[in-house]
Amino acid sequence: MMLNDFSQLPVMVGERDVKGVVTWSSIAMRLVVGEMSERLIDYTTKPIVLETDASIFEAIEEIVRHDFVLVRDRERRIVGIVTAADLSLQFRALSEPFLLLSEIETHVRNIIGQTFTVQELVAARDPASAHDVNSVADLTFGEYVVLLRNPSNWNRLGIVIDRTAFCEQLDKVRNIRNQVMHFDPDGLDDADIKILQEFSAFLKRIEEISL
């Protein structure tokens, strides 16, 4: 376990018979009460085994309670383990695009929110849309792009960077946002995530300097 940085180690006879699982917690509990043993079985905890077709929500409940579950296929072979660390990584993969998009939209709103009147914001509204615009929060990503592509609007922000490049990047974010919000089955690739990460960090720096 120490050599391979394992937190859990199943004790098995063949591929199907699980005798228990050794964890750092199960070892510690023995040591705490001073009950040393030379038998491996004395340091095991009861395994929680789920089928490969079990609901992920069932798995989450068990993982939260026990820190891990073993996974068994239809031929009753143990084929893997899912841990709390795995859930954390998966949660980050699923949630990161939403969090980054929220950060980007917040930064954009902060940058332009105090500059334009309601009438000017309404003028940026999509002509095909009739939604009410009472503040910058009512604009869509596409409408942010329309607003900032106007050279006179851009100059009022006082940001000395290339307007075209900025709007192109914002438009890329708009396209990525559409993928995320429409639950594109292909998901986002690493390049899309990198665009969101870099643009969010860029906007944050602009906002900090402006303040």
Side-chain angles (χ1 to χ4, degrees), residues 96-194:
E96 187 174 20
F98 292 95
L99 296 175
L100 288 170
L101 286 166
S102 177
E103 286 182 355
I104 289 170
E105 186 154 25
T106 297
H107 291 315
V108 170
R109 289 175 177 176
N110 289 343
I111 290 170
I112 69 177
Q114 302 300 318
T115 303
F116 303 101
T117 66
V118 172
Q119 289 74 20
E120 289 168 328
L121 296 176
V122 171
R125 183 178 59 191
D126 183 347
S129 175
H131 68 277
D132 292 333
V133 176
N134 298 305
S135 72
V136 67
D138 296 320
L139 295 183
T140 66
F141 253 83
E143 291 164 347
Y144 297 149
V145 177
V146 170
L147 179 72
L148 297 181
R149 274 182 175 159
N150 183 308
S152 61
N153 289 341
W154 177 259
N155 292 336
R156 288 169 59 188
L157 293 180
I159 300 175
V160 189
I161 56 177
D162 186 82
R163 171 180 55 84
T164 301
F166 182 93
C167 289
E168 286 178 354
Q169 201 70 3
L170 187 59
D171 202 39
K172 288 181 182 179
V173 172
R174 179 186 64 81
N175 288 326
I176 294 172
R177 182 182 184 279
N178 287 343
Q179 286 181 254
V180 172
M181 295 308 176
H182 289 90
F183 298 99
D184 186 339
D186 295 329
L188 299 183
D189 57 29
D190 292 341
D192 291 331
I193 294 295
K194 186 175 181 181

Side-chain angles (χ1 to χ4, degrees), residues 1-13:
M1 290 172 69
M2 292 179 66
L3 288 175
N4 295 282
D5 195 25
F6 293 154
S7 297
Q8 301 89 13
L9 190 65
V11 179
M12 303 178 60
V13 178

Side-chain angles (χ1 to χ4, degrees), residues 18-76:
V18 185
K19 299 301 183 182
V21 180
V22 179
T23 70
W24 291 118
S25 177
S26 65
I27 294 172
M29 290 303 295
R30 275 279 175 178
L31 298 179
V32 165
V33 297
E35 294 186 6
M36 305 295 292
S37 173
E38 295 183 357
R39 300 193 314 158
L40 182 62
I41 195 66
D42 292 331
Y43 293 93
T44 62
T45 187
K46 180 181 177 181
I48 305 299
V49 182
L50 297 180
E51 310 300 324
T52 54
D53 58 356
S55 165
I56 184 61
F57 297 105
E58 180 184 357
I60 289 173
E61 186 175 331
E62 294 294 347
I63 292 168
V64 168
R65 185 179 296 118
H66 302 287
D67 291 330
F68 71 95
V69 295
L70 300 180
V71 182
R72 180 169 54 201
D73 67 12
R74 293 183 178 182
E75 297 179 2
R76 302 192 65 76

